[in-house]
Amino acid sequence: MQLTDIRPRLLLGPGPSPVSPSILEALARPTLGHLDPQFLELMDDVADGLRLAFGTDNTMTFPVSGTGSAAMEASLVNVIEPGDTVIVASNGVFGGRLAEMSRRMGAEVVLVEAEWGRILDPDAVIDALRAHPGARALAIVLAETSTGVQQPLAEIGAAVAATDTLLVVDAVTAIGGTPVAVDGNHIDVCYAGTQKCLGVPPGLAPITFSEKAMDRIRSRTVPCASWYLDVSLLAGYLGSERKYHHTAPINMVYALHQGLSELRAEGLEARFERHARAGDRLKAGLVDRGFTLFAQEGHRLPQLTSALLPEGVDEGPLRRRLLDEYGIEVGGGLGAAKGKLWRIGLMGHGACDENVDRLLAAVDDLFGSAVA
Amino acid sequence: MQLTDIRPRLLLGPGPSPVSPSILEALARPTLGHLDPQFLELMDDVADGLRLAFGTDNTMTFPVSGTGSAAMEASLVNVIEPGDTVIVASNGVFGGRLAEMSRRMGAEVVLVEAEWGRILDPDAVIDALRAHPGARALAIVLAETSTGVQQPLAEIGAAVAATDTLLVVDAVTAIGGTPVAVDGNHIDVCYAGTQKCLGVPPGLAPITFSEKAMDRIRSRTVPCASWYLDVSLLAGYLGSERKYHHTAPINMVYALHQGLSELRAEGLEARFERHARAGDRLKAGLVDRGFTLFAQEGHRLPQLTSALLPEGVDEGPLRRRLLDEYGIEVGGGLGAAKGKLWRIGLMGHGACDENVDRLLAAVDDLFGSAVA
């Protein structure tokens, strides 16, 4: 296949999201070396932009050289030592992944579960924390991409802050679309992705560590099992020493730099409002068309809507036609939700009325012909 | 700093190498989803191109979603289980990194060392293999980027092939510039980088696994410690099942696709010759100017030349002036070689007479003024 043959899509799935022309243009700027003073300055700008997006003053804030799951792994592998107890609160695919990764690192995992599509009851999570006072970390997903649920964190964060346990939060789908408030929520390790509400292609994964987390890392008794993701080594490159660790994905950093400049220009609050408006418009349109919203009322993400299809509709072929005939990508269900629901993202550059209307018009066409 | 303010550099360091306009253009193509049939077709093309570049028929050949060190980690973490013996042959920074990573994974490391700048004596490596018949893996660097040494692999490969041990080879700086011959050298796990002789920006790291390696992975008794890099999970995405694992760095895959198309169009042999010619021209020019070639004669990489500076020259300030005044990046020494040598890369798009001449002319200017 030739690259020039690529048919562009309107990306309304769970990510990647549509990338603006200005960010694609940034990607194509001339490659610099990873120790070039110009590049190091760009990396410092990116760290500042990420602090704004995360809502934190943490010094140790940077993009991991990988995609969201690499940062999930980085967030766990730096703080966990074999034999540690880790509480994982799970109500979807990404909570399950946090548990699986923790086990592979040798942690004893205490699982607190909720039904997919529902939030984790903060009291149940806090009970688990009280029952395991020596737990090294409590890991939870803020924006569960597999179900569209937004988890309330304030009570949990306050409870964890009063202990020696570290709060690890997945904000992959949240960042840039809904508040993360790392400092406000007392989050110790928070990771994200570029390819959702930041509107940047996949390939980097923002992460931030609180001082409490860095203290824990400095007092490890065995080295971090991953050399590539070891934040104590990365600190040598990101700090004033500028010591070579690994070669950063230079051009991807350009794209993130541009994405963060655009976020700063728009303003966080205005961006959250834009995502909220588009999400509301979509949800109303889907309900009008016989879809059933899957996520618990009052805890629905604006940027990622999960919706069960009308009774009797075979979603796979329709989703394929939406892609092939209308050039629109939406996501299917994962795990237990496979074949039952669509996951529709209105993220970053894609969060606008026009995209909602284009999707709903295509759905009308398709469902008309599916019924006929 | 603004991206539009970036002053382009001529990248003649140890990587990243200069990226051609056509590859930068490929980077900026519209982002697709990672499950889009168009993207999956591009991934299949990339696997084919990587088989050509690696010199292998291995099915399990793909780009890791990270940079070279991520693929180094992937190559070890998939085959090592805690308590395994791993023989690491080391004569530079990257051999040392292989040992460090293996230890962090719980391996007992048997180190075979040679002086920096010299090859590892194949007989010494084979002796270690005979002394540790149960070793899980033998890891060695084909093109040591810290010293410019090219390691002969034929005898070592034949010896390892007769055992149950797996041969793990670092070809980060080799691929696309000098032969790797994965199948010919009986290499079981080989990893590389995109930002050297493939001429693609950093952000992906090609890797390939032999059937012998995959059999070993299938018979593991504990899961791979890294979820992100677990090739048994990645196989579900790369194979016919197309099961979601993680979001690939889509636009970086476009760039690699383009880079591999250009490699195919040029032809591997012609490309190796181009690198050899440029390397010879540079080495002759440096010797003429009082530099001393650092790597062992007969085992010098064409694409990466390490050279000790003329007596009495303080390399740091000159290297900085080369960057600031002439816009040319070269690398300094790493580890014990810090402050003593330059590492000059003529890789990928950068391997041409014109770049050699531009660098030598700048050196003449600088050294003239340094003396004056």
Side-chain angles (χ1 to χ4, degrees):
Chain A
M1 182 170 170
Q2 302 293 315
L3 290 168
T4 46
D5 294 340
I6 292 176
R7 275 163 294 140
R9 313 289 202 186
L10 176 59
L11 298 175
L12 303 184
S17 64
V19 179
S20 68
S22 51
I23 290 175
L24 290 174
E25 196 183 303
L27 255 184
R29 299 241 162 236
T31 305
L32 291 172
H34 49 287
L35 296 173
D36 192 304
Q38 298 182 93
F39 181 70
L40 295 169
E41 200 178 325
L42 291 174
M43 281 290 273
D44 288 344
D45 292 347
V46 162
D48 282 342
L50 290 178
R51 285 184 197 103
L52 171 68
F54 272 128
T56 186
D57 291 328
N58 289 337
T59 302
M60 192 48 65
T61 303
F62 62 96
V64 171
S65 301
T67 52
S69 297
M72 181 189 283
E73 198 150 294
S75 75
L76 297 169
V77 79
N78 276 288
V79 301
I80 293 177
E81 297 193 48
D84 283 351
T85 295
V86 175
I87 302 165
V88 178
S90 172
N91 56 351
V93 166
F94 295 91
R97 187 170 293 182
L98 281 163
E100 171 66 18
M101 284 188 182
S102 300
R103 281 190 203 103
R104 287 177 180 229
M105 292 168 196
E108 298 291 329
V109 171
V110 175
L111 209 54
V112 184
E113 290 183 284
E115 199 183 331
W116 284 35
R118 301 196 68 80
I119 61 163
L120 287 140
D121 175 3
D123 288 339
V125 175
I126 293 167
D127 284 349
L129 180 70
R130 299 223 167 100
H132 298 87
R136 179 64 64 200
L138 188 159
I140 192 165
V141 178
L142 170 57
E144 183 43 87
T145 320
S146 64
T147 61
V149 167
Q150 182 167 36
Q151 175 66 38
L153 286 183
E155 287 174 75
I156 295 171
V160 175
T163 70
D164 285 339
T165 302
L166 299 170
L167 180 59
V168 175
V169 170
D170 179 324
V172 171
T173 290
I175 196 169
T178 41
V180 181
V182 163
D183 292 352
N185 281 320
H186 306 283
I187 300 171
D188 294 299
V189 189
C190 192
Y191 60 91
T194 52
Q195 76 275 16
K196 313 274 187 175
C197 299
L198 295 177
V200 172
L204 289 173
I207 197 167
T208 186
F209 293 85
S210 71
E211 264 312 300
K212 182 177 168 187
M214 291 306 294
D215 282 345
R216 158 68 192 137
I217 290 166
R218 281 187 282 262
S219 64
R220 289 182 67 97
T221 58
V222 296
C224 176
S226 169
W227 183 93
Y228 186 64
L229 301 173
D230 184 343
V231 74
S232 68
L233 297 178
L234 285 160
Y237 173 65
L238 298 165
S240 56
E241 205 187 342
R242 301 304 192 182
K243 193 178 166 192
Y244 164 63
H245 178 259
H246 72 271
T247 305
I250 309 293
N251 293 66
M252 277 301 308
V253 172
Y254 299 163
L256 180 55
H257 190 280
Q258 180 65 26
L260 292 168
S261 299
E262 293 180 10
L263 175 139
R264 197 183 287 276
E266 180 173 8
L268 261 188
E269 288 306 321
R271 198 171 175 104
F272 295 159
E273 278 165 34
R274 177 163 60 82
H275 281 84
R277 274 198 312 275
D280 284 347
R281 189 180 182 92
L282 173 67
K283 285 175 178 68
L286 290 172
V287 168
D288 281 349
R289 285 158 181 83
F291 285 76
T292 307
L293 300 179
F294 182 69
Q296 183 175 345
E297 195 165 357
H299 301 285
R300 292 171 182 152
L301 288 166
Q303 65 269 54
L304 197 277
T305 296
S306 58
L308 297 161
L309 279 91
E311 200 69 37
V313 173
D314 186 5
E315 71 88 18
L318 279 180
R319 187 153 51 88
R320 185 60 194 253
R321 285 185 59 200
L322 190 62
L323 186 69
D324 288 344
E325 298 169 27
Y326 297 83
I328 302 175
E329 177 177 278
V330 300
L334 290 179
K338 197 174 174 179
K340 294 181 188 164
L341 54 78
W342 280 1
R343 290 180 301 142
I344 304 171
L346 295 165
M347 301 181 185
H349 192 59
C352 63
D353 289 355
E354 190 196 335
N355 288 342
V356 174
D357 296 345
R358 194 170 144 193
L359 172 66
L360 292 175
V363 164
D364 286 339
D365 269 12
L366 275 174
F367 280 54
S369 68
V371 169
Chain B
M1 182 172 170
Q2 300 293 315
L3 291 167
T4 46
D5 293 339
I6 292 177
R7 275 162 295 142
R9 311 291 201 185
L10 176 57
L11 297 176
L12 303 185
S17 64
V19 179
S20 67
S22 52
I23 290 175
L24 290 175
E25 196 183 302
L27 256 183
R29 299 239 162 240
T31 306
L32 291 172
H34 49 285
L35 297 172
D36 192 303
Q38 297 183 94
F39 181 70
L40 296 169
E41 201 177 324
L42 292 174
M43 282 290 272
D44 287 343
D45 293 346
V46 163
D48 282 343
L50 290 178
R51 284 184 198 102
L52 172 67
F54 271 127
T56 186
D57 291 330
N58 289 339
T59 302
M60 191 48 65
T61 303
F62 63 94
V64 172
S65 301
T67 54
S69 297
M72 182 189 280
E73 197 149 296
S75 75
L76 296 169
V77 78
N78 276 286
V79 301
I80 293 177
E81 298 192 47
D84 282 351
T85 295
V86 175
I87 302 165
V88 177
S90 171
N91 56 351
V93 167
F94 296 92
R97 188 171 294 182
L98 281 163
E100 171 67 17
M101 282 186 183
S102 300
R103 281 190 204 103
R104 287 177 181 229
M105 292 167 197
E108 298 291 328
V109 171
V110 175
L111 209 54
V112 184
E113 290 183 284
E115 199 184 330
W116 284 35
R118 301 196 68 79
I119 62 163
L120 286 141
D121 175 3
D123 289 338
V125 176
I126 294 168
D127 284 350
L129 180 69
R130 296 221 170 102
H132 299 89
R136 179 64 65 199
L138 188 159
I140 192 165
V141 178
L142 170 56
E144 181 48 83
T145 320
S146 63
T147 62
V149 166
Q150 182 168 36
Q151 175 66 38
L153 286 182
E155 288 172 76
I156 295 170
V160 176
T163 69
D164 286 339
T165 302
L166 299 170
L167 181 57
V168 175
V169 171
D170 179 322
V172 171
T173 291
I175 195 168
T178 41
V180 182
V182 163
D183 291 353
N185 282 320
H186 307 283
I187 301 171
D188 294 299
V189 188
C190 192
Y191 60 90
T194 52
Q195 76 277 17
K196 313 272 188 175
C197 299
L198 295 177
V200 172
L204 289 173
I207 198 166
T208 185
F209 292 85
S210 71
E211 262 312 300
K212 183 178 166 186
M214 291 306 294
D215 282 345
R216 159 67 192 138
I217 291 165
R218 281 185 282 262
S219 63
R220 290 182 66 98
T221 58
V222 297
C224 178
S226 169
W227 184 94
Y228 186 63
L229 300 172
D230 183 342
V231 73
S232 69
L233 297 178
L234 284 160
Y237 173 64
L238 298 164
S240 56
E241 205 187 341
R242 301 304 191 182
K243 192 178 167 191
Y244 164 64
H245 178 258
H246 71 271
T247 305
I250 308 295
N251 292 64
M252 277 301 307
V253 172
Y254 298 164
L256 180 55
H257 190 280
Q258 180 66 23
L260 292 167
S261 299
E262 293 179 10
L263 176 140
R264 197 184 287 276
E266 180 174 8
L268 260 189
E269 289 305 322
R271 198 171 174 106
F272 295 159
E273 279 164 31
R274 177 163 61 81
H275 282 83
R277 273 198 314 275
D280 285 347
R281 187 182 185 91
L282 173 67
K283 286 176 178 69
L286 290 173
V287 169
D288 281 350
R289 284 158 181 82
F291 285 77
T292 306
L293 300 178
F294 181 69
Q296 184 175 345
E297 196 168 354
H299 301 285
R300 292 172 182 151
L301 289 167
Q303 64 271 50
L304 197 277
T305 295
S306 58
L308 298 161
L309 279 91
E311 200 68 38
V313 173
D314 186 6
E315 72 88 19
L318 279 180
R319 186 152 52 86
R320 184 61 195 252
R321 286 185 57 198
L322 192 60
L323 185 70
D324 287 344
E325 297 170 27
Y326 298 83
I328 302 175
E329 176 177 279
V330 300
L334 291 179
K338 196 172 174 183
K340 294 180 186 164
L341 55 76
W342 279 1
R343 292 180 300 143
I344 304 172
L346 295 164
M347 301 181 185
H349 192 57
C352 64
D353 289 354
E354 189 196 337
N355 287 343
V356 174
D357 296 346
R358 193 171 144 194
L359 172 65
L360 292 175
V363 165
D364 286 339
D365 269 12
L366 275 174
F367 280 54
S369 68
V371 169

